[in-house]
Amino acid sequence: MTRPYNFSAGPATMPAEVLAQAASEMLDWSDASGKRCGMGVMEMSHRGKEFMSICAHAESTLRSLLVVPAHFKILFMQGGGLAENAIVPLNLSALRAPADERGQTDFVLTGSWSQKSWQEASKYSSTHVAASSQAGGFTDIPDAATWQIRPDASYVHICSNETIHGVEFHTLPDLKALGSDAALVVDFSSQVASRPVDWSRVGLAFGGAQKNLGPAGLTLVVVREDLLGHALAICPSAFNYQTVAANGSMYNTPPTFAIYMAGLVFDWLARQGGIAAIEAQNIAKAQALYQAIDSSGLYFNPVAAHCRSRMNVPFFLRNEALNDAFLSGAAAAGLLQLKGHKSVGGMRASLYNAMPLAGVQALVNYMQAFERSHA
Ligand SMILES: *Cc1c(COP(=O)(O)O)cnc(C)c1O
């Protein structure tokens, strides 16, 4: 069955073979030896041996794909990226604060998502904007050497890929080298598993699954062990990282089916050759699309070249009156969900891991044909 190419920013396209495998196991899951168990995954107890094996396999495959060091915990939670905007300060804001003070949390604003994180954290901590690219319309990342990090900040939050503005950190900041003892918190919702992570620079990274890992409902948290155990007294127990870690992500019922699906995606990633191989694909896809945009007279992308996102490529038509025709023609050509986020307008093509190079080539061909016919 051929399917159209789906450029949605999230929930997003999944590898077809993962969907097919899940469909084949929907009524009766079988283990690695092929033994049937008579239940679908969403019908299993999360504490039964079948689901425990599914969860352990997903975690260990992810750990080896992303080369997560042993002193980091991998947590499977719920609530998505937006819930983490509260859960992170509830757990980490007091890392370096005296018991009677609101902890200090610092933010680098590079787009809508880091801005949301900053606003939410202000409910639970004393926030501060260490740097911002808002004045330039979120089209750049301020040089880390200029960041104003407070000496007592518990952590510095960045969004490593701004899904709406299409701005990506191609290297993570080295806070130690900047003279800061703060932990680095990274929202990698729309970047996770698209490239390797330099864990030596990270304290905690979180991401909703629905961009690059699987279905909505699962939130991945990877946290350095020494950051656990500092939660505020008001932190909900189900959102206390230490409690979640101590219970192997089963303090409460985890999103079992979403964990299973993410595990199938991790297996698929391993079959593609792992993260280095998928990163090479992602570079090739992004280059093809940016090159088509930059060489055209109709389309443009406003983001500084050094921080253009590989995962989410916003682009605009110089003649906005053609937007509707562009989108309806794209859908007719089997290119779905290209409309830009309502806050910025224009178009956006999301090129997550499951989008093949052929999909990007089909998009480029369509864009060029559309430009020729509307010249
Ligand atoms: C999608 C997204 C979120 C929000 O995730 P929800 O699961 O909707 O809460 C947060 N941060 C980034 C970078 C995202 O792309």
Side-chain angles (χ1 to χ4, degrees):
M1 168 187 165
T2 58
R3 304 198 307 154
Y5 294 113
N6 175 1
F7 294 92
S8 170
T13 189
M14 294 270 290
E17 58 188 83
V18 166
L19 296 176
Q21 182 178 346
S24 77
E25 298 182 329
M26 185 65 73
L27 278 70
D28 192 355
W29 180 81
S30 42
D31 66 16
S33 73
K35 188 167 151 279
R36 291 168 165 276
C37 77
M39 300 177 277
V41 174
M42 67 179 90
E43 305 170 296
M44 294 172 181
S45 163
H46 57 299
R47 303 193 191 281
K49 70 177 189 320
E50 293 88 357
F51 184 74
M52 295 288 271
S53 78
I54 290 171
C55 191
H57 176 73
E59 183 182 332
S60 69
T61 312
L62 178 67
R63 190 177 284 279
S64 79
L65 280 170
L66 284 183
V67 201
V68 179
H71 62 292
F72 282 77
K73 296 283 189 196
I74 291 177
L75 310 180
F76 294 136
M77 299 181 66
Q78 304 191 49
L82 285 185
E84 289 301 323
N85 285 346
I87 297 169
V88 171
L90 282 165
N91 278 275
L92 302 189
S93 64
L95 270 177
R96 300 178 61 208
D100 57 345
E101 272 179 34
R102 267 162 88 85
Q104 298 188 359
T105 59
D106 286 11
F107 290 78
V108 176
L109 306 190
T110 52
S112 305
W113 290 111
S114 47
Q115 201 172 31
K116 277 201 165 79
S117 302
W118 162 58
Q119 286 160 351
E120 183 75 8
S122 301
K123 293 184 188 172
Y124 307 102
S125 59
S126 149
T127 57
H128 161 74
V129 175
S132 172
S133 61
Q134 185 168 21
F138 292 133
T139 53
D140 207 346
I141 294 176
D143 183 352
T146 68
W147 296 1
Q148 304 287 313
I149 301 170
R150 291 178 293 181
D152 291 330
S154 292
Y155 64 84
V156 176
H157 174 113
I158 65 167
C159 176
S160 59
N161 184 65
E162 291 280 1
T163 318
I164 294 174
H165 289 86
V167 173
E168 179 168 7
F169 281 79
H170 291 294
T171 42
L172 294 176
D174 182 351
L175 296 186
K176 272 266 172 313
L178 296 173
S180 168
D181 290 326
L184 181 68
V185 168
V186 184
D187 175 357
F188 66 174
S189 294
S190 54
Q191 186 194 47
V192 55
S194 70
R195 58 192 301 158
V197 178
D198 182 352
W199 293 107
S200 72
R201 297 186 172 182
V202 175
L204 179 146
F206 69 82
Q210 71 271 24
K211 314 292 167 62
N212 229 352
L213 303 181
L218 166 65
T219 314
L220 173 68
V221 175
V222 184
V223 56
R224 220 172 58 213
E225 271 168 0
D226 63 285
L227 303 183
L228 301 176
H230 299 274
L232 305 184
I234 57 163
C235 180
S237 307
F239 291 154
N240 184 316
Y241 294 136
Q242 190 175 42
T243 306
V244 177
N247 289 279
S249 297
M250 305 231 185
Y251 173 73
N252 63 331
T253 311
T256 54
F257 194 75
I259 291 171
Y260 156 74
M261 290 296 293
L264 297 184
V265 170
F266 302 154
D267 290 339
W268 174 84
L269 274 171
R271 290 197 300 276
Q272 307 310 299
I275 298 297
I278 210 78
E279 180 185 35
Q281 279 275 329
N282 289 332
I283 291 171
K285 289 174 338 193
Q287 270 176 357
L289 183 51
Y290 283 114
Q291 209 205 336
I293 292 168
D294 291 344
S295 62
S296 112
L298 178 60
Y299 312 106
F300 72 96
N301 165 284
V303 178
H306 72 97
C307 57
R308 282 173 158 186
S309 171
R310 293 175 187 164
M311 292 286 101
N312 309 97
V313 181
F315 62 94
F316 300 85
L317 276 61
R318 291 185 196 277
N319 178 359
E320 298 251 299
L322 294 176
N323 282 358
D324 288 346
F326 180 89
L327 286 167
S328 57
L335 307 165
L336 307 183
Q337 308 209 62
L338 284 163
K339 191 172 179 157
H341 191 270
K342 60 182 186 303
S343 65
V344 293
M347 309 296 154
R348 172 174 52 173
S350 294
L351 313 181
Y352 298 122
N353 290 343
M355 173 60 61
L357 182 58
V360 179
Q361 283 158 346
L363 173 61
V364 166
N365 290 342
Y366 168 73
M367 289 168 67
Q368 291 172 343
F370 182 87
E371 181 169 358
R372 277 194 302 273
S373 63
H374 291 83

